[in-house]
Amino acid sequence: MAKSDTPLLDQLGGGKWPSFVDDIKQAAKKKPMAEDLLRQLELSYKEKIGHWKHGGIVGVKGYGAGVIGRYSDRPEEFPNVQAFHTLRVNHPTGWFYKTEALRNLCDVWDKHGSGLTNMHGSTGDIILLGTTTDHLQDCFDDLSAKGFDLGGSGSALRTPSACVGPGRCEWACVDSLDICYNVTMSYQDEIHRPMFPYKFKIKVAACPNDCVASIARSDLAIIGTWKGDIPIDQKEVAAYAAAGLDIQREVCDLCPTRCMVYNGKELKIYDEDCTRCMHCINLMPKALRPGGERGATLLIGGKAPIVEGALLSWVIVPFMKLEPPYNELKDLIFKIQDWWSENGRSRERVGELIKRVGMRTFLRAVGLPAVPQMVKAPRTNPYVFFWPEDIKKKEVK
Amino acid sequence: MPTDIGPPDYKTMLPPVIQRNYGKWRYHEILQPGLMVHVGETGDALYTVRAGSPRLLSTDHIREICDIAEKYCNGYLRFTSRNNIEFLTEDKEKVAPLLAELSRKNYPVGGTGHAISNIVHTQGWVHCHTPATDASGPVKALMEEIYEYFVTMKLPNHVRIALACCLNMCGAVHCSDIAILGIHRTVPKPDNTRVPNLCEIPTTVASCPTGAIRGDTKTKTVSVNNDKCMYCGNCYTVCPAMPIADADNDGISIWVGGKVSNARSKPTFSKLAIPYLPNNPPLWPETVAAVKNIIEVYAGNARKHERVGEWIERIGWERFFSLTGIPFTDKHIDDFNMATETFRSTTQFKWR
């Protein structure tokens, strides 16, 4: 038997959990690119170091985003991955597919690339891993003919993403899928032609469970919420209790505001104290659900550490009704991006800019009122700025 | 070709049962690990079977997934935000044969409820130019070892694990129950014969969070103050002539206790548990053992419904370190811009 070229990676093949090595090997049967990828990866495993160079500027006509240039630093050894560029393809909102669409994607990618993908990238796009510069335009054209378009990259609006929302979730307070799709279609220019100081991410979660990690991972988080009482189906509460749920211990005692009382028969919620944390609803979906008026809380500024440290998004609009065509939301997005583009430094995220110049400056620029819902507590230091109009002017006599 | 057509309209991808019940779902139940039923106000039921995936998929693997979806789900499926595959069918009769076929074809079914779902991760050595470790490899090695937690629901709550191969955190791992983060530990070495041609000096200087880089605009070169550098690698991202990768010293750090949801407690950052573990491909045994230890201590000690961070918050970090046996070092004490917020200003603490 021939000796394997990839003894280290072979150890990650097979097993109970599906193996990426098996997938690369499967693609390598048809594609010399995938084979060289495997061989270069084996070298990385041996040397404990990556072998990709910074991307040059590559792309498709009319677009400044959507393609990430990638080159091997060992092109003589691995000639088939000398150029190994990535295409980011905007996924269908909610990551729903008919197999026909997936098969189309596979056919295009077998024709033009390595046959390897990520389903999906961290921001949500379909990632087509590895093609050469001369295939980029043709690949784009073929994708376009099948109804697909590129996603964002660089200092652009990144591909917005959304949770499954009303598509399959009883807790959806807003139509996360429609909002995401509407915003995506409205901002094609901003997605495809980088024009901001740095990246800008929008994520839409239909309830506070935030299944798309919007507070942690997006510059603008749109999260469904409600104003009003949680409707209670006491019969279903009793059924959960009968089925073994310890309502006192597992539901009431873990409520962060302790706004629930259970007397062994009936559940009572003091809704004015509820902060809509979802815990009780998560545990008893048949008995409890979001109630009353539906809308969204908007938060701004979330990001990973680079450069000034990681930030979790901050509340800027406690409640906004969100119904098509979402003009109030889009007006606000425009104002935010306009202010940030005007004031942000190169590679400064909007959260970092707000941290640098102050939330009050941001709020005034985009026309939002200061409300207590925005803070955990008021400031503790006395270093307070006042606006000129706050100050009584001396009368000139 | 026309530009800016945007993604395909998701409404064309929704199975009929979803179109009929869109926004009108009443409740859901997890029938067994990896199998959910969602019931609409109409009484319609949608069955979802969730299967793990390596995320890095070949086109032929995707076609196999399509074959399965066509056989049992009229061709409808979706992916989750944690890269799982979800097969969607309204036909209850199809569920058992679907599960049987997935089992025959070695697809792990699970990731629901109080389980460990798929590990969100970055590209690593497969396709990234700044990685401090691989991504797919450590994930595969770890999932192999903690597989039972994917296919069962026996943990106190769900545990979200994520891996990013450098501090750029394309995987935004900073709010995970357990985060695996690739780190460098040595300073970048500017190649000042290449810096003038490849790099913009002000951008490179500004890229440093600690102000460790000085630029000389006359000679268009840069120098690094080694004492101020904490090896984040951001300068290398903007200036390719400042390589930072170091095979002998790059490795992995482990962070714990973060979460993204608003359920019960607030979204929270993960905190440093283990500052450094060596890169040891192909199986990363030190990393796998460290993560498994944290999971098992959590599983054995946390109360029902407590996430890792909520559990640690209740027992205190001093007890977390004593229970897990992880040594506490000066590296655990923050010295970046918000450091003092993490210092203790009370006599209330536990001895262990």
Side-chain angles (χ1 to χ4, degrees):
Chain A
M1 210 177 97
K3 219 177 125 202
S4 168
D5 283 347
T6 55
L8 294 173
L9 286 169
D10 292 350
Q11 295 180 52
L12 289 170
K16 295 184 293 255
W17 188 256
S19 166
F20 70 104
V21 175
D22 294 346
D23 274 69
I24 301 177
K25 284 183 176 173
Q26 191 175 30
K29 283 183 199 154
K30 295 198 222 168
K31 295 281 180 179
M33 268 189 141
E35 196 184 341
D36 271 6
L37 172 71
L38 192 70
R39 291 173 54 233
Q40 180 178 304
L41 188 60
E42 178 77 9
L43 183 66
S44 286
Y45 270 56
K46 208 169 132 194
E47 297 181 345
K48 304 185 189 182
I49 208 155
H51 282 293
W52 297 106
K53 287 200 288 193
H54 273 71
I57 295 172
V58 287
V60 300
K61 254 182 283 172
Y63 284 57
V67 182
I68 319 294
R70 192 68 78 227
Y71 299 91
S72 170
D73 71 359
R74 298 286 178 90
E76 300 80 17
E77 241 174 295
F78 310 109
N80 296 306
V81 292
Q82 182 265 331
F84 196 71
H85 311 315
T86 293
L87 286 117
R88 286 189 186 153
V89 178
N90 199 324
H91 63 290
T93 308
W95 300 285
F96 282 99
Y97 291 95
K98 272 185 92 162
T99 50
E100 189 192 349
L102 281 175
R103 289 187 190 278
N104 285 338
L105 269 175
C106 291
D107 292 344
V108 171
W109 193 229
D110 275 349
K111 187 172 159 197
H112 293 292
S114 70
L116 290 169
T117 74
N118 286 150
M119 302 297 283
H120 295 79
S122 295
T123 299
D125 299 277
I126 300 156
I127 306 292
L128 302 180
L129 275 178
T131 188
T132 53
T133 311
D134 57 338
H135 268 287
L136 288 171
Q137 188 64 46
D138 291 344
C139 186
F140 170 80
D141 291 345
D142 285 353
L143 286 168
S144 186
K146 296 296 180 191
F148 283 94
D149 199 349
L150 299 181
S153 68
S155 295
L157 177 64
R158 298 301 183 84
T159 302
S161 72
C163 72
V164 70
R168 198 196 52 197
C169 185
E170 65 268 31
W171 301 322
C173 296
V174 292
D175 191 338
S176 52
L177 299 172
D178 190 55
I179 295 164
C180 179
Y181 183 63
N182 189 307
V183 165
T184 303
M185 295 309 281
S186 305
Y187 294 107
Q188 285 291 298
D189 196 24
E190 286 79 357
I191 292 172
H192 293 140
R193 286 158 210 100
M195 55 181 81
F196 298 139
Y198 202 14
K199 65 184 96 171
F200 194 93
K201 299 190 178 188
I202 298 176
K203 293 189 191 293
V204 194
C207 89
N209 280 322
D210 196 1
C211 288
V212 282
S214 66
I215 291 181
R217 300 181 58 167
S218 66
D219 296 272
L220 182 67
I222 302 166
I223 302 181
T225 191
W226 70 94
K227 276 181 176 178
D229 296 352
I230 294 175
I232 307 176
D233 183 334
Q234 298 290 356
K235 244 174 45 210
E236 292 291 352
V237 172
Y240 277 108
L245 182 73
D246 186 339
I247 291 177
Q248 184 60 44
R249 196 171 160 85
E250 295 185 50
V251 182
C252 301
D253 291 354
L254 294 181
C255 168
T257 60
R258 296 286 199 273
C259 71
M260 318 182 81
V261 177
Y262 180 62
N263 62 9
K265 282 188 200 133
E266 292 221 320
L267 186 70
K268 161 111 185 97
I269 302 177
Y270 294 90
D271 286 277
E272 67 274 22
D273 287 334
C274 169
T275 52
R276 304 168 310 287
C277 88
M278 296 298 294
H279 175 70
C280 59
I281 296 175
N282 288 344
L283 259 58
M284 300 193 284
K286 286 184 187 172
L288 306 172
R289 58 191 323 178
E293 200 185 357
R294 311 289 180 92
T297 298
L298 271 49
L299 304 93
I300 199 163
K303 61 181 282 292
I306 300 292
V307 176
E308 296 284 330
L311 300 171
L312 293 167
S313 292
W314 307 302
V315 172
I316 53 169
V317 178
F319 191 82
M320 184 186 277
K321 284 288 255 192
L322 284 179
E323 270 147 27
Y326 310 112
N327 285 336
E328 193 184 355
L329 173 67
K330 286 190 219 167
D331 283 349
L332 181 61
I333 293 175
F334 174 78
K335 283 183 196 157
I336 291 168
Q337 292 178 342
D338 192 45
W339 174 77
W340 173 51
S341 296
E342 196 63 37
N343 296 281
R345 293 174 179 155
S346 169
R347 298 184 86 242
E348 184 174 48
R349 296 279 286 270
V350 71
E352 290 170 322
L353 172 61
I354 293 172
K355 207 175 146 191
R356 177 162 66 83
V357 303
M359 182 62 95
R360 66 177 192 124
T361 307
F362 166 77
L363 293 176
R364 176 165 284 215
V366 300
L368 289 172
V371 293
Q373 284 78 9
M374 291 175 177
V375 294
K376 286 185 275 188
R379 73 163 75 222
T380 57
N381 62 66
Y383 306 154
V384 183
F385 289 98
F386 287 89
W387 298 107
E389 66 268 24
D390 297 326
I391 304 306
K392 206 190 235 173
K393 291 196 186 70
K394 278 211 176 91
E395 270 181 56
V396 184
K397 282 188 183 161
Chain B
M1 272 297 151
T3 57
D4 301 319
I5 62 170
D9 188 340
Y10 69 95
K11 293 192 248 352
T12 64
M13 305 283 174
L14 301 176
V17 61
I18 288 187
Q19 297 190 16
R20 290 197 305 273
N21 292 277
Y22 193 91
K24 291 184 288 194
W25 297 104
R26 205 157 65 81
Y27 68 88
H28 80 277
E29 283 176 295
I30 302 173
L31 301 173
Q32 66 186 66
L35 173 62
M36 295 182 286
V37 60
H38 288 78
V39 178
E41 283 165 13
T42 58
D44 283 347
L46 166 65
Y47 295 88
T48 299
V49 173
R50 183 178 290 177
S53 125
R55 184 179 86 127
L56 199 167
L57 297 176
S58 70
T59 46
D60 283 343
H61 191 164
I62 295 173
R63 289 190 182 98
E64 181 186 271
I65 293 164
C66 289
D67 291 342
I68 298 170
E70 281 160 9
K71 201 162 157 191
Y72 302 101
C73 308
N74 289 327
Y76 292 100
L77 73 157
R78 70 178 291 269
F79 291 81
T80 71
S81 58
R82 303 192 80 80
N83 309 316
N84 295 305
I85 309 153
E86 288 187 337
F87 296 95
L88 307 169
T89 179
E90 57 184 299
D91 185 350
K92 195 178 180 183
E93 301 302 314
K94 296 270 175 67
V95 172
L98 168 59
L99 288 168
E101 174 146 2
L102 290 171
S103 164
R104 271 199 308 279
K105 294 209 156 97
N106 225 9
Y107 285 73
V109 170
T112 51
H114 291 187
I116 293 179
S117 187
N118 209 342
I119 299 179
V120 171
H121 65 277
T122 55
Q123 300 287 14
W125 294 333
V126 170
H127 205 242
C128 179
H129 60 298
T130 66
T133 183
D134 189 33
S136 305
V139 164
K140 160 71 176 163
L142 178 58
M143 282 311 291
E144 203 60 30
E145 199 61 36
I146 59 176
Y147 175 87
E148 59 165 313
Y149 294 112
F150 183 86
V151 297
T152 58
M153 302 193 296
K154 58 183 184 182
L155 289 166
N157 202 332
H158 52 243
V159 175
R160 300 286 185 240
I161 307 179
L163 181 148
C165 51
C166 84
L167 271 60
N168 269 315
M169 288 194 194
C170 300
V173 302
H174 56 295
C175 298
S176 306
D177 291 282
I178 302 177
I180 304 165
L181 176 64
I183 52 158
H184 302 288
R185 293 192 304 157
T186 49
V187 300
K189 292 161 204 71
D191 175 356
N192 276 321
T193 62
R194 293 164 66 222
V195 169
N197 293 325
L198 285 173
C199 313
E200 204 184 75
I201 303 304
T203 314
T204 309
V205 170
S207 73
C208 181
T210 59
I213 300 174
R214 267 179 64 178
D216 185 331
T217 42
K218 266 192 204 144
T219 57
K220 298 207 171 128
T221 58
V222 293
S223 58
V224 179
N225 179 341
N226 292 356
D227 294 338
K228 279 188 174 177
C229 174
M230 43 58 184
Y231 341 106
C232 72
N234 196 39
C235 56
Y236 175 65
T237 305
V238 302
C239 174
M242 297 186 71
I244 188 169
D246 176 344
D248 297 328
N249 286 292
D250 292 348
I252 278 173
S253 56
I254 307 287
W255 305 69
V256 299
K259 70 192 274 281
V260 300
S261 89
N262 294 277
R264 294 173 313 283
S265 53
K266 298 184 290 288
T268 313
F269 290 127
S270 312
K271 282 111 186 157
L272 182 63
I274 304 175
Y276 176 75
L277 294 166
N279 265 336
N280 203 351
L283 299 177
W284 278 270
E286 298 85 354
T287 299
V288 170
V291 173
K292 205 175 170 194
N293 174 45
I294 293 167
I295 294 167
E296 282 171 355
V297 174
Y298 159 74
N301 287 275
R303 292 179 186 158
K304 197 171 177 187
H305 304 299
E306 271 179 342
R307 294 284 294 269
V308 171
E310 292 168 328
W311 162 62
I312 300 173
E313 207 51 46
R314 174 171 61 79
I315 63 171
W317 284 92
E318 55 276 44
R319 181 152 301 160
F320 167 79
F321 283 98
S322 67
L323 282 174
T324 55
I326 296 170
F328 187 85
T329 70
D330 59 1
K331 292 168 193 67
H332 290 89
I333 303 178
D334 194 357
D335 40 29
F336 195 51
N337 55 14
M338 310 287 266
T340 52
E341 287 186 12
T342 63
F343 299 170
R344 197 190 297 274
S345 299
T346 166
T347 55
Q348 299 176 15
F349 52 81
K350 293 174 185 169
W351 298 114
R352 55 182 294 276

